[in-house]
Amino acid sequence: MPKNKTKRGKGRLVDHSDDESLNDNASVISMQSDDCGGSLEDGADDIGSVTERYEEKFVQALENAQEKSIQTRLGALQAACEILMLRFMPDTVDDRKITLIDIIEKALRRGKGAEQANAAKLAPLLSIQLAGDDIIPKGLNQTLIVTAQDNSVSYEARAKCCTALGLINFLSEDNIGDILSHMKNFESIFCGSYLKGDHTPSSASAEAAVLHSAALGAWSLLLTLLPPGDFVSFMKERTLLPTLPNLIGMLRSPHLEVRMTAGEAIALVLECGRIHDEDFMDEHLPDLIDMTKQLATDSQKFRAKRDRKTQRATFRDVLRYIEDEISPEINVRFGKETLVLNTWSMHHQYTAVCSAIGSGINVHLAENDFLRDVLQLGEKLLPIGNVTSKQSKLEKHLINAAAFKARTISRSKNRDKRSAVIN
């Protein structure tokens, strides 16, 4: 499954958010896009003025991100992230990409905690805006790797760095050697949730578990870029990639995030391997099925009710794929289009992009050609529906105005006749 800029997203699938039920094998997510409304005459002007205001706020945020005050820089990074999540404005970003990379790098190197986390959050948004421009990983990879592996940095910031590193390289990288190198770096982080030497679960803290989950999620995202034949060879070598027993051991983690991410990663591993070899890792299936069944029916009271529900839903899907090779199907509706996620690979790719863009995902799915190509949506639709809608509103207004005028004239004549009779 070679990866290039014109064919993206082919392969498998993974998790979605808690709000998107995976209890059924087919789910539907509906996303309503923002509609500024307005009349036909002033619609274009309104859109232009809104875009200009966002651009002005973005430029101001970049200026503030270089101030001496920590709070000013932090607020600026948050504002820049929010703007790039909600608006697609590649020209504005492209004109300032060197400045943006410099701001992110300095924040990662010199900042602390929240500032580093928000700087890492900004990095993949640049890649999404700039169609996977390779200047972004070239400028930020090393700093992100160092920060993610630095034990003195907060777990939250390190987790954000892992997520950013995975996504910017997913969107721009096509060298298998570099992809494997990044995956190895991620394994050096999430191996902290492997079983101990005596086969007991890891004693990692809840904060460390968030980091391990983020690193494993980024590893899984890059896995979707590997050709199935090469992937099977790498797994058999047992040196370049983690073994399946190690991943299965992570299912015994005391932390929900690790268990769920590991379960989805295992489904992804099996999906990729089975494309090339239908008997891939069959020797491990009995133990894996037993463990997955336990998690899919877990009712232990010491776990939170919400956690139990989420875990059972996820592992029912994982178990269904392991036993019957049936992937959960999710339809993401936005506007008049539908994005179908019917493999673990596609689901994982969409989830990674969606987690970066947040509430602005519908805007980018509709307008961002590069992202549409990554998610196999094809050419974007022309806004015929919106024009027709506005024209029909205008026509309706004119018809109502004409009817009102005719009614007024008619009533005026009747009033004149009544006045004549009375006189």
Side-chain angles (χ1 to χ4, degrees):
M1 179 192 55
K3 170 238 179 208
N4 54 56
K5 294 295 177 61
T6 57
K7 285 189 178 180
R8 306 298 297 272
K10 291 192 176 180
R12 303 149 298 274
L13 174 71
V14 182
D15 164 53
H16 214 278
S17 67
D18 292 342
D19 294 330
E20 297 155 2
S21 174
L22 297 180
N23 293 338
D24 299 326
N25 200 44
S27 301
V28 176
I29 305 166
S30 180
M31 295 186 170
Q32 300 296 328
S33 59
D34 296 332
D35 186 358
C36 296
S39 68
L40 185 63
E41 295 86 348
D42 62 9
D45 292 337
D46 287 345
I47 294 173
S49 61
V50 168
T51 301
E52 288 178 4
R53 288 200 297 273
Y54 271 102
E55 290 177 353
E56 290 172 2
K57 290 180 180 179
F58 182 68
V59 172
Q60 185 61 53
L62 297 191
E63 293 178 2
N64 292 343
Q66 302 174 73
E67 294 291 332
K68 292 183 179 180
S69 168
I70 295 177
Q71 287 304 116
T72 301
R73 295 199 306 268
L74 178 58
L77 288 171
Q78 292 172 337
C81 287
E82 183 177 356
I83 291 169
L84 295 187
M85 289 165 66
L86 296 176
R87 307 297 295 185
F88 179 54
M89 44 188 199
D91 293 337
T92 303
V93 176
D94 188 54
D95 291 341
R96 297 165 177 82
K97 61 185 177 183
I98 302 301
T99 301
L100 281 159
I101 291 173
D102 184 59
I103 288 171
I104 294 171
E105 185 176 16
K106 286 181 179 179
L108 290 172
R109 290 181 181 276
R110 304 174 187 176
K112 299 291 182 182
E115 185 178 1
Q116 291 175 306
N118 280 278
K121 183 179 178 181
L122 182 57
L125 294 174
L126 300 190
S127 289
I128 292 170
Q129 292 277 344
L130 299 180
D133 191 333
D134 60 5
I135 192 175
I136 298 165
K138 286 179 180 177
L140 295 176
N141 269 354
Q142 188 57 38
T143 305
L144 287 168
I145 292 171
V146 171
T147 307
Q149 296 178 332
D150 188 348
N151 292 328
S152 66
V153 176
S154 69
Y155 283 118
E156 180 190 9
R158 293 174 66 190
K160 294 292 185 183
C161 286
C162 288
T163 301
L165 192 61
L167 193 48
I168 65 175
N169 284 282
F170 165 72
L171 294 173
S172 62
E173 188 57 75
D174 54 10
N175 183 285
I176 292 181
D178 292 338
I179 292 171
L180 289 173
S181 176
H182 292 307
M183 294 175 74
K184 200 68 179 175
N185 287 328
F186 290 135
E187 186 188 2
S188 71
I189 296 173
F190 68 72
C191 67
S193 282
Y194 284 170
L195 293 179
K196 297 179 181 179
D198 58 357
H199 299 288
T200 58
S202 167
S203 57
S205 65
E207 293 80 7
V210 173
L211 169 62
H212 298 166
S213 176
L216 181 55
W219 180 90
S220 300
L221 180 62
L222 294 185
L223 169 58
T224 66
L225 301 179
L226 295 180
D230 292 341
F231 169 71
V232 171
S233 299
F234 297 149
M235 288 294 289
K236 289 180 178 179
E237 290 177 10
R238 297 177 176 238
T239 55
L240 295 174
L241 297 175
T243 64
L244 190 59
N246 279 337
L247 294 177
I248 294 174
M250 296 179 74
L251 297 178
R252 296 174 58 188
S253 169
H255 304 291
L256 176 67
E257 297 92 342
V258 174
R259 293 195 301 273
M260 288 181 56
T261 308
E264 293 156 357
I266 290 169
L268 188 62
V269 165
L270 292 176
E271 184 180 70
C272 183
R274 286 171 174 176
I275 292 175
H276 180 75
D277 179 4
E278 61 182 14
D279 298 324
F280 179 71
M281 296 292 171
D282 276 0
E283 66 273 18
H284 298 294
L285 290 188
D287 292 340
L288 177 59
I289 290 173
D290 288 343
M291 177 67 71
T292 307
K293 282 182 177 179
Q294 292 177 23
L295 294 170
T297 57
D298 186 5
S299 59
Q300 298 185 47
K301 297 300 181 182
F302 67 85
R303 304 195 201 280
K305 183 176 180 180
R306 180 184 176 87
D307 289 352
R308 293 200 306 270
K309 182 178 179 180
T310 303
Q311 176 181 286
R312 288 197 296 264
T314 297
F315 280 96
R316 279 197 294 268
D317 286 336
V318 173
L319 181 62
R320 188 179 295 113
Y321 179 74
I322 293 172
E323 292 185 323
D324 303 321
E325 296 192 26
I326 299 175
S327 300
E329 181 174 308
I330 295 191
N331 297 322
V332 181
R333 293 178 180 172
F334 60 100
K336 295 186 177 181
E337 297 182 81
T338 300
L339 171 62
V340 180
L341 310 175
N342 54 13
T343 66
W344 286 101
S345 176
M346 291 180 66
H347 193 178
H348 200 94
Q349 292 168 5
Y350 171 79
T351 302
V353 171
C354 192
S355 65
I357 302 176
S359 59
I361 183 66
N362 50 330
V363 173
H364 287 269
L365 288 178
E367 299 180 11
N368 191 327
D369 286 325
F370 171 69
L371 199 57
R372 292 178 65 89
D373 183 45
V374 169
L375 298 175
Q376 302 178 340
L377 274 168
E379 298 291 334
K380 61 185 177 183
L381 299 181
L382 295 175
I384 297 175
N386 292 339
V387 174
T388 303
S389 176
K390 290 181 179 179
Q391 285 178 333
S392 59
K393 286 181 181 178
L394 178 60
E395 290 171 357
K396 186 176 181 180
H397 172 73
L398 294 175
I399 292 171
N400 288 339
F404 176 78
K405 183 176 180 180
R407 188 166 57 250
T408 302
I409 294 173
S410 176
R411 288 177 177 175
S412 296
K413 290 180 179 179
N414 290 333
R415 279 196 294 269
D416 293 341
K417 291 179 181 179
R418 284 198 300 270
S419 298
V421 170
I422 293 173
N423 292 334

